[in-house]
Amino acid sequence: MRYDTYIFDLDGTLLNTLQDLAASVNYALSLYQMPTHDIVAVRNFVGNGVRLLMERATPDGAQNPQFEAVFATFRQHYMEHSLDTTRPYDGIPEMLRELKRQGKRLAVVSNKFYAATQELVAHFFPEIEVAIGEHESEGICKKPAPDTVYEALRQLGVGKENAVYVGDSDVDLMTARNSGLPCISVLWGFRDRDFLLGHGATTFVRKPSELVF
């Protein structure tokens, strides 16, 4: 099916952010003399927003008496270092340029905090018209709630007709389902095919050019 509107996840879908996320996680943990994690562990922690990422990474999670300080340190460090090694996956810029050339409407919805989402999208992807991050203070709940998708569609000025969600995780599958959109799962991201199949994925792409019909 041809689509007119593409709603993309960010981390693991358009950008490989894992090294910078892991560096900020471990910086914050080290500062408070807590055990650090290898890249595989951090990969498994991501997908539900940065607060839950740090809850999973911190001993005893949010119950740890130092958790809020650790989380604040992570946020500050990541905002200063989110561009250190983060790069688009191979073929992503070319895919977005071609979709834009075809007149498609493009947006990003992410559970990354709002300022980081805006900065990364503006830096790497001028073709993206709308970028929505986590900002629950405005009453927009994070994924897998459909709120960020609905807000992106509202800002684009389009409906759900001929729109598709593109992501790399179980959270993305649930977000698409809750939003009433079909979902395309990418196989270059943070979760593999077997994991995605186990969470209900039905449509896959192995490289970004396959998104250009």
Side-chain angles (χ1 to χ4, degrees), residues 35-55:
T36 58
H37 301 281
D38 64 22
I39 200 75
V40 175
V42 175
R43 179 192 295 269
N44 290 326
F45 295 156
V46 300
N48 295 87
V50 290
R51 186 176 183 88
L52 189 54
L53 162 63
M54 289 309 298
E55 288 182 12

Side-chain angles (χ1 to χ4, degrees), residues 91-103:
I92 291 293
E94 294 83 357
M95 176 269 293
L96 292 175
R97 285 197 292 269
E98 177 58 21
L99 289 177
K100 188 71 171 180
R101 188 193 69 79
Q102 294 178 10

Side-chain angles (χ1 to χ4, degrees), residues 76-121:
Q76 180 178 352
H77 187 272
Y78 186 69
M79 284 304 300
E80 295 171 356
H81 296 275
S82 64
L83 293 172
D84 286 1
T85 65
T86 288
R87 296 292 183 272
Y89 289 101
D90 290 346
I92 291 293
E94 294 83 357
M95 176 269 293
L96 292 175
R97 285 197 292 269
E98 177 58 21
L99 289 177
K100 188 71 171 180
R101 188 193 69 79
Q102 294 178 10
K104 309 301 184 182
R105 308 302 301 278
L106 309 176
V108 160
V109 297
S110 175
N111 276 346
K112 188 185 295 294
F113 37 90
Y114 188 82
T117 300
Q118 292 278 309
E119 179 182 10
L120 289 168
V121 170

Side-chain angles (χ1 to χ4, degrees), residues 106-159:
L106 309 176
V108 160
V109 297
S110 175
N111 276 346
K112 188 185 295 294
F113 37 90
Y114 188 82
T117 300
Q118 292 278 309
E119 179 182 10
L120 289 168
V121 170
H123 182 81
F124 287 110
F125 306 125
E127 299 83 6
I128 299 290
E129 301 170 67
V130 171
I132 307 293
E134 181 182 351
H135 54 330
E136 293 182 2
S137 61
E138 296 185 17
I140 298 176
C141 296
K142 67 181 183 180
K143 302 184 295 185
D147 299 31
T148 51
V149 172
Y150 292 163
E151 177 63 13
L153 293 172
R154 186 191 68 80
Q155 291 191 26
L156 287 172
V158 300

